[in-house]
C-alpha cells in the first residue's frame, strides 16, 4: 500500500491524522471556554459527552488517530535518522528561515504525549472511565465527585500550582508542535505554492496562538482562583 | 583590491569509503580576498604536494556555478555561509582574518564519502534515469510555434530547471531527504506540455527510486531551500506531493 511504502504516502498519513487532531483540539478548546462563562453549561457538555455511545465511539476514533500519528512519527523519525548516516557534522548552523520546532517535532510530540497521559489521569479516568466501568467516584475532601461534574475537577486540578505549571508547559509544547505542523500538513498534502507559503505560515501562527491561548485561559483563570 | 587574510583551515581527511576520517588543521597565510574558495584549496594542495603530502581530494568542474560538481560543507553550510552561490563562486573576502574555517564533506547516507571531501552522488543520476526525461519523436523537427507556452509557465519551469543537481539539499537536510532535487526535476517537466506524456509515470517512478535509495522522508524543515545555491523553493515539493498523491489516487 502506497501509504506505507512511499515517503510521500507516509507523510500524507502524518498530515491527515495531524489535521484531524487539530480539528479535535479546536472543538475541545471551544468546549473548555464554556467553563469560563457557565459552570452549569460546562457540566451539561460533560454530561452530553459522557459514556454515551456516540462519545465512546468518537473517543475510540480519536485514540486511533493518536496511535497512528504516534506510530508513524516514530517510524518516520527513525528512518530519517538512518538516512542521515552515521557521521554527523562538526559545525552546524540553522538558517533563519528554518523553524526550531520543525527540527524537533518528535521531542515536542513526546512532551505532548506525556501531557496527554497526565490529562487522562486527571480527567478522563475520573469521568468517562468511571461511568464505563461503574467504578468508584473520585473523592475530594470526603465529597464524591460526579463523573459529569467536570467543573469541580477543573477547579480541583488547578488548585494545585504544579498542575498549572505542567499544563502550561504542555500547552507551550503544543504551540510549538502546531506552529510548524499546521502549515506543514498543508504542504504535505500539496496545497501550497510560492504565494500561499507565507499565507499558510501566518494562518498557522494565528490559529495556533488563539487555540493555545484558549486552553491556557482556563488553566490560568482557574489556577489563579478567579473562577 | 581586496585585502589579504590569514586563517586556519580545518579539513576532513579520509583515505577511503571505509577508512576512519579525522580533521586536520592547515594554517593559511596571506590569501587574497579575490581568491575563490576552490582556488584557495588549490593553493593549499600545491603546498602539500611540494611537501610530499597527499593533496586534499574535492569535486569541481566548471567553476562558474553551472555544473553542480563542487560541494563542501563550509562552517555549517553547504556551499558556504553565503546564500545563492555554489562553493566555486564563494570568495575568500567573505571570511574574516584569523578565523577558523571548517570544511566537511556532504554527510548523508545517500552520499557516502569516496575520499576526503569527495562524495558519491550517483544516486541522483539513478533517480534521473528513473524518469527525469521526456521522450522525443525522431524525424523532422516540429514547428517551434506549434507548442505555445505562456511566459509565466516558462519562467516557472526555468526556475525549477535551474537545479544543478549538486546535492546541497540532501547535505543540509536533517532527514537526508532528496525531495527538493526530485521535486525540481519533476516540476520542470510537469508544467510544460512536452512533459505531459510521462507525467504520471515520472512522479511515481522518481519518488519510488528516491525511496529505494534510502533518502529520508521530508518533514518540511525548509533547510534545503535556505541552502540551495540556485534558490529552488519548496513550492516545488508541494507540487511533487500533488503530482504523486493524485497519481496514486488514479491507480
Ligand atoms: C495534540 C496532538 C497532536 C497534534 C494536533 C499533532 C499535529 C501534527 C501535525 C499537523 C503535523 C504535521 C504533519 C505534516 O508535516 O504533514 C505533525 C507532525 C508530527 N507529529 Fe504531531 N501532533 C500531535 C501529537 C503528536 C505526538 C503525541 C507525537 C509523538 C509522540 C507527534 C509527533 C509528530 C512528529 C514526529 C511529526 C513530524 C513528522 C513529519 O513531519 O513527518 N505528534 N503533528
Ligand atoms: S535543489 Fe538546489 S541544492 Fe538541491 S541539487 Fe538542485 S541545486 Fe543543488
Ligand atoms: S564547479 Fe561547477 S558548479 Fe561549482
Amino acid at each position: 500500500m502506497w501509504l506505507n511504502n512511499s515517503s510521500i504516502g507516509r507523510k500524507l498519513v502524518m498530515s491527515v491524522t495531524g489535521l484531524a487532531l487539530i480539528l479535535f483540539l479546536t472543538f475541545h478548546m471551544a468546549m473548555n471556554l464554556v467553563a469560563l462563562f457557565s459552570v452549569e453549561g460546562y457540566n451539561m457538555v460533560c454530561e452530553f459527552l459522557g459514556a454515551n455511545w456516540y462519545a465512546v465511539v468518537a473517543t475510540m476514533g480519536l485514540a486511533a488517530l493518536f496511535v497512528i500519528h504516534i506510530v508513524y512519527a516514530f517510524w518516520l523519525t527513525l528512518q530519517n535518522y538512518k538516512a542521515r548516516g552515521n557521521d554527523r557534522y562538526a559545525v552546524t548552523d540553522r538558517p533563519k528561515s528554518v523553524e526550531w520546532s520543525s527540527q524537533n517535532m518528535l521531542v515536542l510530540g513526546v512532551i505532548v504525549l506525556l501531557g496527554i497521559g497526565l490529562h487522562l489521569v486527571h480527567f478522563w479516568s475520573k469521568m468517562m472511565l468511571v461511568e464505563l466501568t461503574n467504578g468508584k467516584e473520585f473523592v475530594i475532601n470526603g465529597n464524591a465527585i460526579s463523573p459529569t461534574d467536570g467543573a469541580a475537577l477543573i477547579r480541583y486540578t488547578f488548585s494545585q500550582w504544579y498542575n498549572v505549571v505542567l499544563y502550561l508547559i504542555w500547552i507551550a509544547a503544543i504551540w510549538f508542535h502546531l506552529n510548524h505542523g499546521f502549515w506543514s500538513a498543508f504542504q504535505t498534502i500539496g496545497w501550497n505554492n510560492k504565494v500561499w507559503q507565507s499565507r499558510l505560515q501566518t494562518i498557522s501562527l494565528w490559529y495556533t496562538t488563539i487555540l493555545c491561548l484558549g486552553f491556557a485561559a482556563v488553566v490560568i483563570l482557574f489556577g489563579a482562583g478567579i473562577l | 583590491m581586496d585585502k589579504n587574510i590569514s586563517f586556519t583551515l580545518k579539513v576532513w581527511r579520509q583515505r577511503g569509503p571505509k577508512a576512519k576520517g579525522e580533521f586536520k588543521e592547515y594554517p593559511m597565510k596571506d590569501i587574497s580576498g579575490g581568491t575563490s574558495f576552490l582556488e584557495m584549496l588549490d593553493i593549499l594542495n600545491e603546498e602539500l604536494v611540494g611537501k610530499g603530502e597527499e593533496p586534499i581530494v574535492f569535486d569541481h568542474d566548471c567553476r562558474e556555478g553551472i555544473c553542480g560538481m563542487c560541494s563542501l560543507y563550509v562552517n555549517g553550510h553547504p556551499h558556504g555561509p553565503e546564500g545563492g552561490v555554489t562553493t566555486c563562486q564563494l570568495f575568500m573576502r567573505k571570511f574574516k582574518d584569523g578565523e577558523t574555517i571548517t570544511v566537511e564533506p556532504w554527510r548523508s547516507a545517500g552520499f557516502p564519502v569516496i575520499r576526503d571531501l569527495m562524495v558519491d552522488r550517483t544516486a541522483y543520476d539513478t533517480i534521473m534515469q528513473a524518469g527525469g526525461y521526456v521522450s522525443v519523436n525522431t524525424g523532422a523537427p516540429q514547428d517551434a510555434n506549434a507548442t505555445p507556452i505562456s511566459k509565466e509557465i516558462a519562467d516557472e519551469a526555468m526556475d525549477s530547471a535551474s537545479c544543478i543537481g549538486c546535492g546541497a539539499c540532501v547535505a543540509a537536510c536533517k532527514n537526508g531527504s532528496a525531495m527538493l532535487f526530485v521535486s525540481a526535476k519533476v516540476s520542470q517537466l510537469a508544467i510544460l506540455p512536452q512533459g505531459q506524456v510521462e507525467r504520471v509515470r515520472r512522479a511515481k517512478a522518481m519518488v519510488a527510486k528516491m525511496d529505494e535509495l534510502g533518502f529520508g522522508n521530508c518533514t518540511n524543515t525548509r533547510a534545503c531551500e535556505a541552502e540551495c545555491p540556485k534558490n529552488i523553493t519548496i513550492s516545488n515539493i508541494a507540487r511533487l506531493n500533488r503530482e504523486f498523491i493524485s497519481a496514486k489516487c488514479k491507480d
Side-chain angles (χ1 to χ4, degrees), chain A residues 2 6-7 10-11 76 79-80 83-84 88-91 93 95 98 103 180 184 187-188 190 192 197 201, chain B residues 73 76-77 104-105 107-109 171 173-175 211 214 217-222 227 234 238 241-242 244 248:
Chain A
W2 66 278
S6 73
S7 58
R10 288 187 289 267
K11 276 296 319 243
L76 283 174
Q79 280 188 331
N80 290 349
R84 199 74 181 93
R88 303 283 140 160
Y89 292 114
V91 180
D93 188 10
V98 177
Q103 302 193 309
H180 171 71
S184 174
Q187 164 82 6
T188 302
N192 199 1
Q197 178 64 42
Q201 277 187 290
Chain B
Y73 199 85
H77 296 275
E104 303 174 65
R107 294 191 197 277
S108 215
C173 179
K174 84 165 187 51
N175 307 316
D211 291 342
N217 309 276
C218 169
T219 66
N220 307 323
T221 69
R222 305 183 77 192
E227 302 289 10
I234 62 162
N241 290 341
R242 282 199 294 281
F244 184 83
K248 285 294 180 182

Side-chain angles (χ1 to χ4, degrees), chain B residues 158-229:
Chain B
M158 269 309 282
D159 283 350
S160 302
S162 64
C163 164
I164 51 176
C166 64
C169 37
V170 170
C173 179
K174 84 165 187 51
N175 307 316
S177 164
M179 284 288 274
L180 195 65
F181 165 77
V182 176
S183 68
K185 296 302 177 193
V186 166
S187 286
Q188 66 181 4
L189 300 176
I191 55 183
L192 291 180
Q194 289 88 341
Q196 297 311 306
V197 178
E198 296 100 341
R199 181 170 173 178
V200 175
R201 205 192 66 82
R202 176 183 309 113
K204 286 191 288 187
M206 290 180 77
V207 170
K209 187 52 84 181
M210 168 185 89
D211 291 342
E212 182 195 316
L213 292 170
F215 290 103
N217 309 276
C218 169
T219 66
N220 307 323
T221 69
R222 305 183 77 192
C224 53
E225 74 173 359
E227 302 289 10
C228 171

Side-chain angles (χ1 to χ4, degrees), chain B residues 5-249:
Chain B
I5 58 169
S6 300
F7 50 89
T8 307
L9 205 59
K10 202 173 147 193
V11 183
W12 184 257
R13 303 300 309 258
Q14 182 173 341
R15 290 286 301 175
K18 297 255 149 52
K20 210 173 128 27
E22 58 174 357
F23 282 105
K24 275 241 167 78
E25 293 198 3
Y26 302 94
M28 301 296 292
K29 287 247 147 25
D30 284 332
I31 302 291
S32 132
T35 315
S36 84
F37 202 86
L38 298 186
E39 283 164 349
M40 181 273 294
L41 288 178
D42 293 336
I43 295 172
L44 173 59
N45 274 347
E46 290 282 331
E47 270 175 41
L48 292 179
V49 172
K51 282 193 276 187
E53 290 178 33
E54 290 280 345
I56 298 162
V57 176
F58 60 93
D59 266 322
H60 61 104
D61 190 18
C62 72
R63 299 215 176 186
E64 55 179 5
I66 53 170
C67 74
M69 265 321 275
C70 59
S71 53
L72 307 188
Y73 199 85
V74 183
N75 281 353
H77 296 275
H79 295 296
E82 214 200 339
V85 296
T86 53
T87 302
C88 57
Q89 297 170 304
L90 177 67
F91 287 87
M92 296 317 294
R93 67 176 79 94
K94 296 289 168 191
F95 297 90
K96 286 192 287 290
D97 196 49
E99 166 172 28
T100 297
I101 304 174
T102 308
V103 190
E104 303 174 65
W106 286 176
R107 294 191 197 277
S108 215
F111 294 156
V113 172
I114 298 172
R115 184 163 178 173
D116 294 341
L117 302 172
M118 183 190 270
V119 298
D120 182 356
R121 286 172 282 183
T122 26
Y124 267 14
D125 296 331
T126 319
I127 295 174
M128 286 304 276
Q129 283 156 7
Y133 50 78
V134 288
S135 302
V136 179
N137 292 330
T138 52
Q142 68 167 314
D143 184 50
N145 294 329
T147 320
I149 298 169
S150 73
K151 172 90 168 85
E152 292 79 46
I153 298 287
D155 285 350
E156 185 81 20
M158 269 309 282
D159 283 350
S160 302
S162 64
C163 164
I164 51 176
C166 64
C169 37
V170 170
C173 179
K174 84 165 187 51
N175 307 316
S177 164
M179 284 288 274
L180 195 65
F181 165 77
V182 176
S183 68
K185 296 302 177 193
V186 166
S187 286
Q188 66 181 4
L189 300 176
I191 55 183
L192 291 180
Q194 289 88 341
Q196 297 311 306
V197 178
E198 296 100 341
R199 181 170 173 178
V200 175
R201 205 192 66 82
R202 176 183 309 113
K204 286 191 288 187
M206 290 180 77
V207 170
K209 187 52 84 181
M210 168 185 89
D211 291 342
E212 182 195 316
L213 292 170
F215 290 103
N217 309 276
C218 169
T219 66
N220 307 323
T221 69
R222 305 183 77 192
C224 53
E225 74 173 359
E227 302 289 10
C228 171
K230 296 295 158 187
N231 299 324
I232 303 287
T233 68
I234 62 162
S235 61
N236 288 286
I237 298 184
R239 183 180 296 108
L240 174 60
N241 290 341
R242 282 199 294 281
E243 294 283 318
F244 184 83
I245 293 169
S246 63
K248 285 294 180 182
C249 289

Side-chain angles (χ1 to χ4, degrees), chain A residues 31 40-56 58-59 127-128 131 147-150:
Chain A
M31 285 185 288
E40 291 78 43
Y42 183 69
N43 282 353
M44 264 163 67
V45 175
C46 292
E47 207 166 320
F48 176 67
L49 292 176
N52 309 305
W53 70 268
Y54 44 85
V56 175
T59 306
M127 299 175 77
M128 191 188 269
E131 286 190 75
T148 56
D149 191 358

